[in-house]
Amino acid sequence: MKLRKVTAASAAVLALAVAATACGSNDKKDEGSSGSGGQVKVGIKFDQPGLGLKQPDGSFSGFDVDVATYVAKQLGYKPDQIEWVETKSADRENALARGDVKFIVATYSITDERKQKVDFAGPYLLAHQDLLIKSDSDISNGTDLNGKKLCSVTGSTSAQNVQKSIAPKANLREYGGYSECIAGLQSGAVDAVTTDDSILAGFASQDKYKGQFKLAGLKLSNENYGIGVKKGDTATMDKINSALEKMVSDGSWDAAVKKNFGPADYKNEPAPKIGDIVK
């Protein structure tokens, strides 16, 4: 009987030790520390050259990708620990609420309406609505668009904004995607394409378009790009803000801008200060 009690006690101790080890292993994995084997899911766009683009070989490139990779590293994740998740504009808030991703870096403009549903770190880039035109175009300002063909994507308000504010007689053309608009600009089917200047610069920076287009530089709106996190996750938001400040201070932010937008001669704004929203 005595031997049986000792054996039972030893088994209990062993079970507790195994359980503690298992718990420690899981905690370490969730931290995403170097070599832990943990993963972090990050939302990006898959179809925006210069910002978030999935390449034919399965790799990813763009300014948003570079920002997200830098931020993830500061949070303790190596590049091979990042799982990229496509987050289309209409599903960004839901993706965060469901926990599909830890954070989103996807030309995500900070607005009062969105701040009711998610929290934002940043901003990390100040973009503006602009026009992309051919390098030899005679369009020098918005009023020159009167009577000419202006392209944007179906459902976007960008073209309507131009028509309402500066060129009421512009002929609107709506295509299914910006790549179609850019192809139309190249062929002469349209005279200008409008959306955020960062998006336009990304398309214009593609090898097949280098030197063919230029930005008009009209700055028709202010788009403060932020990094979305789940509502209430202030700990992650604060860590991301610290990472963004470091990215600016060590020169990595400037390098990412030149790398991804430089070929389009993109006149970017200086890196914004955390919490500085330009209306």
Side-chain angles (χ1 to χ4, degrees):
M1 291 294 292
K2 186 174 181 180
L3 179 60
R4 202 175 296 162
K5 287 182 180 178
V6 171
T7 304
S10 299
V13 171
L14 179 60
L16 287 172
V18 170
T21 301
C23 289
S25 176
N26 287 338
D27 289 346
K28 186 176 182 182
K29 183 175 181 179
D30 289 342
E31 289 173 1
S33 57
S34 179
S36 72
Q39 297 286 314
V40 62
K41 293 183 178 181
V42 180
I44 59 170
K45 294 289 183 67
F46 278 21
D47 58 354
Q48 289 184 339
L51 287 153
L53 182 68
K54 185 175 183 179
Q55 304 285 1
D57 64 359
S59 62
F60 297 88
S61 66
F63 181 72
D64 283 352
V65 174
D66 289 345
V67 170
T69 301
Y70 188 99
V71 166
K73 181 180 179 181
Q74 299 306 307
L75 297 182
Y77 298 95
K78 296 179 180 179
D80 62 1
Q81 292 176 296
I82 301 173
E83 179 181 342
W84 301 110
V85 178
E86 183 176 20
T87 50
K88 296 185 178 182
S89 297
D91 195 46
R92 288 179 295 203
E93 288 82 18
N94 290 332
L96 288 169
R98 292 190 302 260
D100 294 347
V101 292
K102 184 70 171 178
F103 59 89
I104 292 176
V105 191
T107 59
Y108 204 177
S109 295
I110 301 172
T111 67
D112 290 339
E113 181 181 0
R114 288 171 178 164
K115 285 166 68 175
Q116 301 301 313
K117 301 176 181 178
V118 304
D119 285 332
F120 284 101
Y124 65 93
L125 182 71
L126 175 59
H128 307 282
Q129 185 186 338
D130 202 354
L131 302 176
L132 189 69
I133 53 180
K134 282 192 172 182
S135 297
D136 60 355
S137 173
D138 59 358
I139 296 173
S140 60
N141 58 64
T143 59
D144 293 336
L145 279 171
N146 283 313
K148 295 188 177 180
K149 296 180 287 293
L150 175 65
C151 187
S152 191
V153 299
T154 302
S156 170
T157 60
S158 297
Q160 288 85 348
N161 289 342
V162 171
Q163 192 178 49
K164 180 179 179 180
S165 60
I166 56 176
K169 296 183 180 179
N171 297 317
L172 304 188
R173 297 287 188 274
E174 292 186 325
Y175 291 174
Y178 287 114
S179 58
E180 296 174 51
C181 282
I182 303 299
L185 181 61
Q186 183 185 42
S187 69
V190 298
D191 300 299
V193 181
T194 186
T195 187
D196 294 358
D197 53 8
S198 59
I199 297 174
L200 295 172
F203 276 101
S205 295
Q206 292 179 284
D207 288 339
K208 61 182 177 180
Y209 294 135
K210 282 182 180 178
Q212 297 185 41
F213 308 131
K214 64 182 179 181
L215 290 163
L218 299 185
K219 298 184 178 181
L220 301 174
S221 70
N222 295 317
E223 306 296 336
N224 301 271
Y225 290 172
I227 296 180
V229 301
K230 188 174 183 178
K231 189 70 175 176
D233 189 0
T234 55
T236 298
M237 181 181 70
D238 290 343
K239 290 177 182 178
I240 293 175
N241 279 332
S242 295
L244 291 175
E245 289 176 336
K246 184 177 180 180
M247 186 177 187
V248 173
S249 65
D250 69 13
S252 298
W253 188 91
D254 281 324
V257 169
K258 292 177 182 178
K259 169 188 170 185
N260 294 291
F261 303 130
D265 196 25
Y266 177 51
K267 303 296 191 300
N268 65 283
E269 299 280 2
K273 293 182 179 180
I274 300 302
D276 187 8
I277 308 298
V278 179
K279 297 294 186 178

